[in-house]
Amino acid sequence: MVNISIAEPAGFCVGVKRAMALAQAAAERGGSIYSLGALIHNPQVIAAMKDKITVIDSPLAARGDTLIIRSHGAPPQLLAAAEGRYGEIIDATCPFVRRAQQLAAEYQSAGYQVVIVGDAAHPEVVGIRGWAGQAIVVADAAQAQALPQFPRIAAIAQTTLIAADYAAVCAVLEGKTQQLEIAATICNYTEQNQLATRRLAERVERMVIVGGRNSSNTLKLAQISAAAGADVFHIETAAEVDEYIVRGVSNIGVSAGASTPEVIIEEVVEKMSELEVLQDTAAEEQNAEQQNAVAENAIVEDSDNEKISEPEQVLDPKAAPDAGEAIDSSPVEDIAAPEQPVSEDAAEQPVSEDAAAEQPKAAEPDAFTAEYGDMKEIRRGARVKGVIVQVKDDELLVDIGGKSEGVLTSSELTTEEAKDIKGHFNVGDEIDVLILRRENQEGYPVLSKRRVDQDIVWDKLAQLKADKEIVTGKVTDVVKGGVLVDVGIRGFVPASLVSMGFVEDLSTFVGQELQLKIIECDKHANKLVLSAKAVLRGQSKEQKAKTLAEIAEGQTRKGVVRRLTNFGAFVDIGGVDGLLHVSEMAWYRVNHPSDLLKEGDEIEVYILGVNQESEKISLGLKQLIPNPWTLVAEKYPEGSILTAKVMRTTTFGAFLEVEPGVEGLVHISQMAHHRVDKTEDVVKPGDMVEVKVLSVDPEAKRMSLSIKAVLPEPEPEEAPAEQAAEQAVEEAAEEVAETGVAAIVAEGKEKAAEIIAEGKELFEEGKSEFAEKVEEAKSEFAEAFAAAEAKAIEKIEEGKVKAGVKSAKAKAKAADKAEELKEDLSELKEEAKEELAEAVEEAKEAFAELKEKIADKLSDKDE
């Protein structure tokens, strides 16, 4: 018997159903109807609608009443070309494809390089690419690896893409950009269909994938089934189903692509069932012919060896002996006794009591016959009772009432029974068995006890599911997508239902016993799905209600760390998850919760707050230990010397960890006796340094530390101090030279020369008057220069005097004064510029007056 299971879901997806509904509605309205490309990738559906809907490759190829945009969508250029050529344009684009198109357009507008993951020749990908402009299409991770670097990338998947393939490509794209956006565009139905197909393929020997050979999602189902280890047949219709598909296997799975109608799936399953029945019938007929041949040979042999009886011994009512003679009533074998006619008189003749007593009595039915009937007719698939007549090391012989005992091999016993057959069975034991075959090559029926036991377990599990009872199962193995459990038969627990949270390594559950709830129980499909999470969730719900009723702010409770995030940890404190924020973990700065905790840790937490309505609980960890700042003043009084670790540096100093939760600041001025330009020149993070406590403020959580205070005072160095003073003076002198006072004077002279030249060209009479003004300007420039020069000399002398202090401190002060001198010289420069500007303005005004006078004089001359 072959079990045929159908993956759920299978067949038409939402997008295809919508496209077909729109197309059928348009066909009912009538008119000239065209579809831009095949509506779906199923040749049978397209052929059925060809009389009503014409398929075209371009909107420019026709004009008509209606144009249908297929479920795969189309580029905007084709949609624009269709405008005005058709009375109505029906957009049957799948909603998931439409969303992928919109995202592609949005990312393109936002400046992302759109990368489409899928088949470049597929019409869906062609359409999405049209909406994304300069998009790139890659089929796999290898093609993605060949891409150059881009500032920003947006990844969009073909809706029928395998999720694992999409993830592999995105992993490569992360190394190709600084910012990667991953669009979740894989169709939900596609993911569910692929997952159901994979799970079914893992449980059956053979998979039949139904759908068009040019359908992308159907081809992916075939790939998934093959990867799961099943023997795969890809067919389009029931006409392709032959006896080889159902031959030699006991479990067959069926799945179909999103473009496959349910009617085709049903036809395929029906055809396979018919072929399986025909094969069984043919086998039974062949066995019957063999049995008849054996029987006929036996009759011939018996007739040859049998002695012919005397004629008077033949039972004939007319030749019956006297009443006193006994009649031989011994039974005759059915196969040797010919049928004899019986007269009505003989039939009505009464039988004497003695003769009746001598006739054989019919055996009364035993318990076996009473319950199951005469089992001389052995049929395949029957469930009967039998009696063990022989126990061997690897098999049992069982009397099931047929012409010969049945054979029950160790492979058809349970695992425990097969390990020790003689320890579990004895001659005379009555057992239930299933007839697998009417005869083997030796002519013995082939039996199975394991399958009967499984049927009993299936029935029991079905009842437990109906009663919503909990069963106990032992995890035996880890498979793709979950674990296998033994609950009398093998069941499957998906990875997402093994525990309340995500489990990275399922192998840790092997050998454990789990409390399970039955989710699916289908004996005919050989499908048993269970959930440990459902049991845990129920237990957690009860515990949660109890915890919420008892919990209160200020309590201390034990909990288990369930999950870590960047901002904290979620801790289970009895069926309720509370948030332990990273700021509440310790009295010191914690960069990441993983620095202190890991998932599975059992810890004690302090209840900071409880919101019964939202069921939100705030937790603390640091509240259970003393605040280190409360003891700082006593442990580290002012003037004490200690060793601390440099945690981080800034432009103004470095923060040192005195102890966990206590940090102090070493200002840059307290790092060395000499001037320090950069903190990193003295210390760097991770250094252990000796410091002196300058001050402690526990309330403000501040501590001032000094490295300089623990260093010895340096010896005075006269020569370097004198050199520093001389250098300061030289720098000041250079600054004076650089102030540009001479340049300012030169600039004024040039302007004055320009004014003079211009005046000479205009007139000769005003020469003397203009010269006076120029002399005044020169005088003002000279005074400004003299003032600047005097101030500069004064500052230089002041620098010389102050730089003469012969000590190490003088060097720093001289440098400071040099800085002040530079600032003063800069101010002088600005003042000189301002004075020059005023002088120039006055010169311009004088020039304007001269021009007017010249004009007047010229006017007088003309007159």
Side-chain angles (χ1 to χ4, degrees):
M1 180 182 294
V2 177
N3 290 323
I4 301 175
S5 306
I6 304 175
E8 294 182 4
F12 277 176
C13 65
V14 176
V16 172
K17 287 181 180 178
R18 175 176 175 272
M20 292 304 301
L22 292 173
Q24 289 171 356
E28 291 174 1
R29 292 194 296 270
S32 55
I33 306 173
Y34 300 89
S35 71
L36 188 57
L39 283 172
I40 61 175
H41 278 164
N42 187 280
Q44 290 73 38
V45 174
I46 300 303
M49 302 184 71
K50 68 178 181 179
D51 294 336
K52 298 180 180 180
I53 301 176
T54 303
V55 178
I56 57 176
D57 295 329
S58 169
L60 302 178
R63 290 181 181 270
D65 298 320
T66 305
L67 177 67
I68 303 174
I69 307 301
R70 58 183 168 182
S71 58
H72 296 117
Q77 299 85 351
L78 292 183
L79 298 178
E83 292 293 337
R85 301 183 65 87
Y86 303 89
E88 180 185 12
I89 298 178
I90 299 175
D91 189 356
T93 303
C94 168
F96 284 93
V97 176
R98 167 60 64 190
R99 179 173 177 272
Q101 293 174 345
Q102 293 172 345
L103 288 173
E106 291 173 4
Y107 281 126
Q108 178 70 20
S109 300
Y112 285 84
Q113 173 59 60
V114 177
V115 176
I116 304 172
V117 185
D119 181 2
H122 194 279
E124 176 191 320
V125 175
V126 173
I128 297 173
R129 190 174 188 181
W131 288 88
Q134 302 297 322
I136 298 173
V137 180
V138 296
D140 49 35
Q143 292 187 8
Q145 191 66 52
L147 294 179
Q149 291 286 330
F150 294 99
R152 296 193 295 175
I153 293 178
I156 295 178
Q158 185 177 341
T159 58
T160 57
L161 192 68
I162 298 175
D165 294 344
Y166 188 35
V169 173
C170 291
V172 174
L173 292 179
E174 284 183 343
K176 299 292 183 179
T177 183
Q178 296 178 351
Q179 183 177 353
L180 175 64
E181 292 291 331
I182 302 174
T185 52
I186 296 179
C187 173
N188 292 339
Y189 177 89
T190 299
E191 290 183 323
Q192 294 170 6
N193 189 10
Q194 292 176 354
L195 178 60
T197 300
R198 178 174 61 79
R199 289 178 174 174
L200 181 58
E202 291 172 351
R203 301 198 303 270
V204 300
E205 302 162 77
R206 183 166 294 164
M207 282 293 293
V208 177
I209 306 300
V210 187
R213 288 187 172 84
N214 61 340
S215 170
S216 174
N217 62 80
T218 305
L219 292 173
K220 287 182 174 64
L221 295 181
Q223 295 171 2
I224 291 170
S225 300
D231 187 15
V232 181
F233 284 81
H234 183 181
I235 62 176
E236 288 190 349
T237 65
E240 299 179 36
V241 177
D242 55 31
E243 58 180 316
Y244 296 102
I245 291 181
V246 297
R247 179 180 295 176
V249 293
S250 57
N251 290 291
I252 296 178
V254 178
S255 188
S259 301
T260 306
E262 293 181 4
V263 63
I264 293 182
I265 302 173
E266 293 172 357
E267 290 173 354
V268 168
V269 174
E270 184 177 355
K271 181 72 175 290
M272 288 194 295
S273 300
E274 291 174 355
L275 286 175
E276 196 249 338
V277 172
L278 290 174
Q279 281 191 349
D280 289 345
T281 304
E284 290 177 1
E285 290 176 352
Q286 183 178 1
N287 288 335
E289 291 176 359
Q290 293 175 352
Q291 291 176 5
N292 291 335
V294 172
E296 290 174 359
N297 292 334
I299 293 173
V300 172
E301 291 174 0
D302 289 344
S303 61
D304 291 340
N305 297 327
E306 186 182 40
K307 292 181 179 181
I308 305 301
S309 302
E310 294 295 330
E312 57 267 27
Q313 292 179 333
V314 177
L315 295 177
D316 186 351
K318 294 180 180 179
D322 294 338
E325 294 180 3
I327 300 175
D328 185 6
S329 59
S330 60
V332 181
E333 290 293 331
D334 292 341
I335 59 174
E339 293 184 359
Q340 299 293 336
V342 180
S343 67
E344 294 180 1
D345 295 339
E348 293 177 357
Q349 185 176 357
V351 181
S352 65
E353 293 180 2
D354 294 339
E358 293 177 0
Q359 291 180 354
K361 295 182 180 180
E364 295 193 8
D366 55 13
F368 177 90
T369 306
E371 183 171 357
Y372 293 101
D374 187 3
M375 291 306 298
K376 289 182 180 180
E377 287 295 329
I378 305 301
R379 62 182 177 83
R380 179 173 176 264
R383 178 174 159 182
V384 300
K385 283 187 180 294
V387 178
I388 299 174
V389 297
Q390 187 175 358
V391 179
K392 299 181 180 181
D393 291 334
D394 58 350
E395 66 181 16
L396 302 171
L397 293 182
V398 183
D399 181 6
I400 57 174
K403 64 181 180 180
S404 58
E405 291 83 6
V407 177
L408 178 57
T409 62
S410 59
S411 62
E412 292 301 328
L413 298 172
T414 65
T415 304
E416 294 298 323
E417 292 170 344
K419 290 179 180 178
D420 184 14
I421 294 180
K422 292 185 177 180
H424 285 84
F425 302 100
N426 297 303
V427 174
D429 289 350
E430 189 177 71
I431 59 174
D432 290 332
V433 293
L434 183 74
I435 301 174
L436 298 180
R437 294 172 58 188
R438 295 175 60 183
E439 287 185 352
N440 59 13
Q441 294 179 348
E442 289 77 23
Y444 297 102
V446 179
L447 311 176
S448 172
K449 179 179 180 294
R450 175 176 58 83
R451 303 194 188 193
V452 174
D453 294 341
Q454 288 182 349
D455 282 344
I456 295 173
V457 175
W458 275 112
D459 295 340
K460 180 181 177 182
L461 291 173
Q463 187 60 46
L464 291 172
K465 180 180 184 297
D467 297 339
K468 299 181 179 180
E469 295 290 336
I470 295 173
V471 299
T472 301
K474 186 176 182 179
V475 180
T476 59
D477 198 5
V478 177
V479 295
K480 290 181 180 180
V483 298
L484 298 179
V485 293
D486 183 5
V487 290
I489 59 175
R490 188 177 69 173
F492 175 69
V493 182
S496 59
L497 301 181
V498 173
S499 178
M500 289 291 288
F502 172 74
V503 180
E504 185 174 355
D505 185 8
L506 292 174
S507 63
T508 57
F509 285 90
V510 175
Q512 293 186 25
E513 287 193 346
L514 302 178
Q515 297 293 307
L516 303 162
K517 198 167 185 179
I518 303 171
I519 305 300
E520 291 185 61
C521 182
D522 189 342
K523 177 171 66 175
H524 300 293
N526 194 29
K527 185 177 184 180
L528 179 62
V529 182
L530 306 103
S531 171
K533 187 176 183 178
V535 178
L536 296 173
R537 187 186 291 117
Q539 296 173 349
S540 176
K541 190 174 181 181
E542 295 176 1
Q543 183 63 39
K544 181 179 181 179
K546 180 180 178 182
T547 301
L548 287 173
E550 298 175 351
I551 199 167
E553 184 177 339
Q555 293 179 350
T556 299
R557 285 185 171 258
K558 290 185 178 180
V560 178
V561 179
R562 295 298 185 194
R563 184 162 56 94
L564 299 179
T565 67
N566 291 331
F567 55 84
F570 287 94
V571 182
D572 182 355
I573 52 174
V576 186
D577 280 352
L579 175 60
L580 175 59
H581 196 272
V582 67
S583 62
E584 299 296 337
M585 290 185 177
W587 291 107
Y588 55 90
R589 178 185 178 86
V590 178
N591 294 322
H592 193 274
S594 60
D595 295 341
L596 294 179
L597 305 171
K598 63 179 182 295
E599 293 181 2
D601 283 352
E602 295 185 4
I603 59 174
E604 283 195 347
V605 290
Y606 182 82
I607 310 300
L608 295 176
V610 179
N611 188 327
Q612 294 286 352
E613 295 181 358
S614 62
E615 298 182 354
K616 291 184 178 180
I617 302 174
S618 300
L619 306 175
L621 191 60
K622 68 182 183 182
Q623 289 76 11
L624 301 179
I625 57 177
N627 186 343
W629 280 100
T630 58
L631 304 175
V632 166
E634 298 178 7
K635 294 172 66 176
Y636 311 106
E638 293 183 9
S640 59
I641 307 296
L642 54 93
T643 301
K645 181 180 180 180
V646 179
M647 302 302 293
R648 58 190 184 279
T649 59
T650 66
T651 56
F652 55 84
F655 287 93
L656 277 62
E657 183 185 60
V658 177
E659 66 175 57
V662 178
E663 288 188 354
L665 172 65
V666 178
H667 193 270
I668 193 170
S669 62
Q670 293 296 327
M671 289 190 170
H673 289 293
H674 60 273
R675 179 184 177 85
V676 177
D677 295 326
K678 290 177 63 178
T679 305
E680 290 77 7
D681 293 341
V682 180
V683 295
K684 60 182 182 296
D687 289 349
M688 300 297 296
V689 295
E690 192 175 36
V691 293
K692 183 177 183 179
V693 179
L694 300 181
S695 64
V696 179
D697 187 349
E699 294 183 0
K701 297 180 180 179
R702 291 178 181 174
M703 178 182 288
S704 296
L705 307 173
S706 174
I707 298 175
K708 180 174 69 174
V710 298
L711 298 175
E713 286 283 345
E715 298 253 344
E717 298 181 3
E718 297 184 1
E722 293 176 355
Q723 293 175 1
E726 293 176 0
Q727 184 178 357
V729 173
E730 291 177 359
E731 289 177 356
E734 290 175 0
E735 181 64 23
V736 172
E738 292 173 359
T739 54
V741 175
I744 294 172
V745 175
E747 182 181 354
K749 289 180 178 181
E750 289 178 1
K751 289 186 178 295
E754 291 176 2
I755 295 172
I756 294 170
E758 188 177 357
K760 285 182 178 180
E761 293 175 359
L762 291 174
F763 63 96
E764 285 293 334
E765 288 96 355
K767 181 178 181 181
S768 59
E769 186 175 353
F770 184 77
E772 292 177 0
K773 291 297 182 182
V774 172
E775 289 299 327
E776 290 178 4
K778 285 183 178 181
S779 177
E780 291 175 355
F781 294 151
E783 291 176 0
F785 173 76
E789 187 176 23
K791 288 183 179 179
I793 293 172
E794 181 181 352
K795 291 296 181 180
I796 291 171
E797 292 299 327
E798 182 179 352
K800 286 182 178 180
V801 173
K802 293 183 178 180
V805 181
K806 303 185 184 300
S807 68
K809 293 181 180 179
K811 180 180 178 181
K813 289 183 179 180
D816 292 340
K817 289 302 179 179
E819 291 295 328
E820 294 177 4
L821 178 59
K822 290 180 180 180
E823 293 177 358
D824 292 342
L825 293 176
S826 179
E827 292 176 2
L828 287 174
K829 181 177 180 180
E830 293 299 324
E831 290 177 3
K833 284 184 178 181
E834 292 176 0
E835 292 176 359
L836 175 60
E838 292 176 1
V840 171
E841 288 298 326
E842 291 179 1
K844 287 182 179 180
E845 291 176 1
F847 177 68
E849 292 177 1
L850 289 174
K851 286 179 68 177
E852 291 178 2
K853 291 180 179 181
I854 292 169
D856 292 342
K857 290 183 179 182
L858 292 174
S859 177
D860 293 342
K861 286 183 178 181
D862 291 339
E863 293 177 357

